[in-house]
Amino acid sequence: MEKVGKKLAVLVGCNYQNTPYRLHGCHNDVLAMRDVLVKRFGFDSQHIELLMDKSGSPIMPTGVNIKKALNKMVDEAEQGDILYFHFSGHGTLTGKKNQEEAIIPLDFNYITNVDIRKIVNRVPQGATFTILLDSCHSGGLIDKEKEQIGPSHHKPKNQELEKNSNSYVSVSNKSESTSKSYYSNPKFIPHETILEHLTSLTNINTSNIGTHMLQLFGNDASVMFSLPQLELDLLKPLKQDEGILLSGCQADEECQDVGGIENENQAYGAFSHAILLVLEKNCGPISYRELVMKSRYVLENDEQIKTQHPCLYCSDENARAFFLCQG
């Protein structure tokens, strides 16, 4: 990319307060990332839209509001611009035969991998769109994006990571010092639980989740539930795109929400926290591939985090590029 233009971001933290699905660290994740975007990566705070389900928040993270913010960001984008979307909250699988991935907004109006692909397809040539998802089953949530690090990835010998291993000593020490108050909760709501919840709202006796979504949200429901399969197939990328997905886990894994029982200000999403730690320990430019590999290393060496393996989906060129074009 020859020039760097505007830097635009949408940050979504959903704690699902006053619900049975309560998380604790999602607001902290996006607030911390906002600070890093401004102080390190040169984002203007006026160009960062923050959506949190917090008392007094001007915009709640519903499905409609999240998609509206993302589409607005893409509408404003031009060649050379840097777009960034960070979601910290619950994820799930849709329950369809092919088990498509989705993130869960506050109102349960799924944003699916098909919706994300439709948005990425609109990004202007020469602009980059980085998506960081700290939610369960988030691997592959840009539909049909190339896997760089993921389930079929064979980890190379850890030469590059081993020479930097001293950078992560503080991670294990922190885990030991907080073990007495340690709390971890998967950022996942089972499909059956969501189906039961939606059924209570629609009073329709069907296991087809699309029927419930269309009844509740109409045209604002995911296109996955409204378009026939033939049209969905047409959403696949026809050329190499500039979508870059950093997912907190593989499609068959769960991300963890950590802490918050004694002091919610110390709660965090394990993946968001790992990314922030790697950026803190590596002050210079860092490639997408290196950032994801080092976040894997952080999580693998935290004994209190249940198994989750961050993934990277993008083109070969973007895998080698610097995170958010720094440098």
Side-chain angles (χ1 to χ4, degrees):
M1 190 162 55
E2 295 181 358
K3 68 170 186 173
V4 174
K6 301 187 300 295
K7 299 179 180 181
L8 310 171
V10 173
L11 312 180
V12 179
C14 205
N15 275 346
Y16 313 88
Q17 295 177 319
N18 303 316
T19 77
Y21 320 107
R22 177 69 184 273
L23 297 173
H24 296 276
C26 301
H27 296 169
N28 297 336
D29 291 340
V30 294
L31 290 172
M33 182 56 72
R34 180 182 63 177
D35 289 344
V36 170
L37 293 178
V38 172
K39 295 176 182 178
R40 174 166 175 171
F41 293 98
F43 281 68
D44 185 334
S45 60
Q46 299 298 313
H47 293 158
I48 299 176
E49 185 159 3
L50 188 63
L51 286 76
M52 298 190 297
D53 57 336
K54 189 174 184 179
S55 178
S57 294
I59 304 177
M60 287 291 170
T62 63
V64 169
N65 288 340
I66 294 171
K67 286 189 284 190
K68 182 178 179 180
L70 292 175
N71 281 307
K72 178 176 178 289
M73 180 169 65
V74 172
D75 287 341
E76 295 176 359
E78 301 172 307
Q79 181 179 5
D81 289 353
I82 300 169
L83 313 181
Y84 180 73
F85 171 44
H86 190 127
F87 177 84
S88 182
H90 280 303
T92 193
L93 297 170
T94 65
K96 294 169 75 71
K97 289 182 179 180
N98 50 355
Q99 292 288 289
E100 304 288 355
E101 304 89 358
I103 58 177
I104 306 178
L106 179 61
D107 60 350
F108 285 68
N109 185 6
Y110 283 3
I111 297 176
T112 68
N113 55 357
V114 179
D115 299 312
I116 298 295
R117 164 51 61 195
K118 185 178 178 183
I119 292 170
V120 170
N121 283 353
R122 296 179 51 238
V123 175
Q125 184 176 3
T128 59
F129 190 5
T130 299
I131 299 174
L132 191 151
L133 299 178
D134 193 345
S135 55
C136 290
H137 305 292
S138 49
L141 214 138
I142 300 182
D143 195 31
K144 300 181 175 66
E145 197 69 67
K146 181 177 181 179
E147 176 191 308
Q148 298 289 341
I149 301 172
S152 62
H153 173 76
H154 298 286
K155 182 162 46 173
K157 293 181 180 179
N158 286 331
Q159 295 175 348
E160 181 181 8
L161 298 179
E162 287 172 358
K163 70 181 181 182
N164 293 308
S165 60
N166 291 336
S167 299
Y168 302 101
V169 172
S170 60
V171 177
S172 57
N173 289 342
K174 179 175 181 179
S175 298
E176 291 169 6
S177 66
T178 59
S179 59
K180 292 183 179 180
S181 60
Y182 180 79
Y183 158 87
S184 178
N185 190 40
K187 304 172 86 169
F188 169 63
I189 306 177
H191 168 71
E192 294 75 17
T193 301
I194 295 173
L195 185 61
E196 182 180 348
H197 171 72
L198 296 178
T199 301
S200 71
L201 298 176
T202 64
N203 293 316
I204 299 175
N205 184 20
T206 177
S207 61
N208 186 329
I209 199 165
T211 300
H212 296 290
M213 290 289 181
L214 292 171
Q215 175 68 25
L216 290 170
F217 304 111
N219 292 334
D220 293 323
S222 170
V223 295
M224 175 180 288
F225 305 122
S226 59
L227 292 180
Q229 187 61 49
L230 179 60
E231 291 186 47
L232 290 176
D233 289 340
L234 295 177
L235 288 176
K236 65 184 180 181
L238 301 178
K239 57 182 175 55
Q240 180 174 298
D241 60 66
E242 297 297 338
I244 305 168
L245 172 64
L246 294 80
S247 65
C249 62
Q250 298 176 175
D252 61 346
E253 294 179 338
E254 297 176 349
C255 285
Q256 297 297 313
D257 182 56
V258 180
I261 294 299
E262 296 182 2
N263 185 350
E264 190 160 278
N265 290 330
Q266 295 179 357
Y268 55 84
F271 179 52
S272 295
H273 187 61
I275 290 290
L276 291 168
L277 280 172
V278 173
L279 291 174
E280 180 183 350
K281 297 296 182 181
N282 296 266
C283 298
I286 183 170
S287 72
Y288 283 93
R289 182 182 296 279
E290 185 180 13
L291 179 60
V292 172
M293 287 301 297
K294 288 190 173 184
S295 72
R296 276 193 167 205
Y297 186 88
V298 169
L299 294 175
E300 287 170 0
N301 285 273
D302 189 336
E303 295 180 356
Q304 298 177 107
I305 298 296
K306 295 179 181 179
T307 302
Q308 65 179 89
H309 298 90
C311 302
L312 175 65
Y313 296 85
C314 62
S315 67
D316 294 342
E317 182 179 358
N318 282 332
R320 296 188 295 267
F322 292 133
F323 179 63
L324 297 182
C325 298
Q326 185 183 27

